[in-house]
Amino acid sequence: MTEEELDLRTLSDEELVEQMHDDLYDGLAEEIDEGTRILLERGWSASAVLNDALVGGMRIVGIDFRDGILFVPEVLLAANAMKAGMAVLRPILAETGAESVGKVVIGTVKGDIHDIGKNLVAMMMEGAGFEVIDLGINTDVEEFLEALDLHRPDILGMSALLTTTMPYMKVVVDTLVERGLRDSHIVMVGGAPLNEEFGRAVGADAYCRDAAVAAETAKDLVARRRILMSEHV
Ligand code: B1M
């Protein structure tokens, strides 16, 4: 059977997830859109579709990219397909009837154009009730500072996927310290090459390994900060 003839609806859940990994690998955005919708129709939760079908597929792409089997153009297509699936999940993940629990300014740091993980974090935070101002990719310290001044968020979130760009997080935190702004915001960092120790070393309040942890941590830190502030009034 050729790709065009394959009816995704005839596949079992397990086969469909496997097929979606292949489709992601091949950068087939329409198929990823369809597969995502089918899994949701079958009663899968948005986070299960995200983790098993999409993030799982992207992990395979990442391994072959590292090993020189896939190159930038193919990975861009895979990223595009991933975004097609995320677009279907976005309204569900971002669904919240509650009032805003706080404000977040988030961006991928200067020199870095990876935005899939950052977009997921933004979505999950919206889903947790935050108002999110997304500065996009390649964000320099002045752009972060302007956004802090304009939006006065509770949280500044930074994402980096490259070992060469992650040190820039320290540039941003150091600049906040120099300008006397560090204590006005919670600083959260994340991205595949980071870890707890790096988070502490750059002076962040929290390092988060994934989007779900980021949303939980954000709620927790904002709640704690509000209690501290009310005690000081
Ligand atoms: Co890039 N790339 N890439 N890439 N790319 C990696 C990161 C790499 C690990 C691949 C590899 O070698 N295995 C490698 C980095 C090596 C290193 O630094 N040690 C790499 C490289 C080398 C490069 C280029 C230099 C390649 C080149 O040009 N020769 C180049 C750099 C461009 C630049 O940024 N200046 C490049 C380019 C690209 C594409 C443009 C082709 C594309 C990006 C498309 C896009 O994002 N729109 C791309 C992709 C897709 C990847 C991989 C394959 C996948 C990244 C991804 O989207 N993962 C990646 C391999 C990998 O990571 N396994 C790779 C899925 C996503 C859901 O996970 O982003 O980790 P992640 O986000 C998670 C957590 O980290 C966390 O939550 C997210 C969701 O759970 N998180 C946060 C992220 N940010 C957070 C912030 C938080 C909290 C949690 O708080 C604020």
Side-chain angles (χ1 to χ4, degrees), residues 148-226:
L148 295 184
D149 188 37
L150 185 65
H151 302 288
R152 315 248 160 206
D154 302 278
I155 299 176
L156 165 64
M158 290 184 278
S159 179
L161 264 286
L162 299 171
T163 44
T164 49
T165 57
M166 56 193 240
Y168 194 77
M169 292 173 165
K170 182 149 169 45
V171 174
V172 178
V173 176
D174 286 351
T175 310
L176 289 179
V177 173
E178 275 163 34
R179 310 231 179 144
L181 296 168
R182 177 63 187 88
D183 293 339
S184 313
H185 308 281
I186 294 162
V187 176
M188 291 177 60
V189 295
L194 279 63
N195 56 29
E196 292 276 352
E197 199 188 342
F198 179 82
R200 273 195 298 274
V202 297
D205 295 294
Y207 151 78
C208 300
R209 70 167 186 277
D210 64 33
V213 172
E216 278 310 307
T217 307
K219 273 201 288 190
D220 194 41
L221 290 177
V222 167
R224 273 201 260 164
R225 186 163 178 257
R226 297 222 165 126

Side-chain angles (χ1 to χ4, degrees), residues 24-217:
L24 204 63
Y25 196 93
D26 294 333
L28 302 175
E30 272 177 36
E31 284 74 359
I32 290 298
D33 172 297
E34 192 188 350
T36 302
R37 289 176 198 277
I38 294 172
L39 288 175
L40 289 174
E41 280 164 29
R42 291 183 185 175
W44 281 49
S45 68
S47 56
V49 180
L50 178 66
N51 291 323
D52 295 0
L54 302 182
V55 175
M58 214 54 199
R59 199 170 298 127
I60 304 167
V61 171
I63 292 167
D64 281 4
F65 188 30
R66 180 197 63 204
D67 295 344
I69 297 164
L70 288 180
F71 297 95
V72 170
E74 288 119 329
V75 179
L76 266 177
L77 283 175
N80 191 40
M82 169 99 183
K83 285 184 179 179
M86 281 163 60
V88 176
L89 299 179
R90 185 187 172 92
I92 307 169
L93 290 173
E95 208 168 72
T96 167
E99 245 176 67
S100 169
V101 296
K103 227 190 243 188
V104 183
V105 159
I106 192 168
T108 301
V109 299
K110 185 178 168 186
D112 202 320
I113 63 169
H114 295 86
D115 67 354
I116 295 174
K118 184 261 301 159
N119 294 347
L120 272 177
V121 172
M123 274 184 208
M124 296 291 271
M125 283 188 169
E126 280 176 10
F130 284 93
E131 182 189 341
V132 178
I133 296 108
D134 186 348
L135 304 181
I137 54 171
N138 195 22
T139 312
D140 71 21
V141 61
E142 290 307 326
E143 287 171 278
F144 278 121
L145 288 173
E146 262 170 45
L148 295 184
D149 188 37
L150 185 65
H151 302 288
R152 315 248 160 206
D154 302 278
I155 299 176
L156 165 64
M158 290 184 278
S159 179
L161 264 286
L162 299 171
T163 44
T164 49
T165 57
M166 56 193 240
Y168 194 77
M169 292 173 165
K170 182 149 169 45
V171 174
V172 178
V173 176
D174 286 351
T175 310
L176 289 179
V177 173
E178 275 163 34
R179 310 231 179 144
L181 296 168
R182 177 63 187 88
D183 293 339
S184 313
H185 308 281
I186 294 162
V187 176
M188 291 177 60
V189 295
L194 279 63
N195 56 29
E196 292 276 352
E197 199 188 342
F198 179 82
R200 273 195 298 274
V202 297
D205 295 294
Y207 151 78
C208 300
R209 70 167 186 277
D210 64 33
V213 172
E216 278 310 307
T217 307

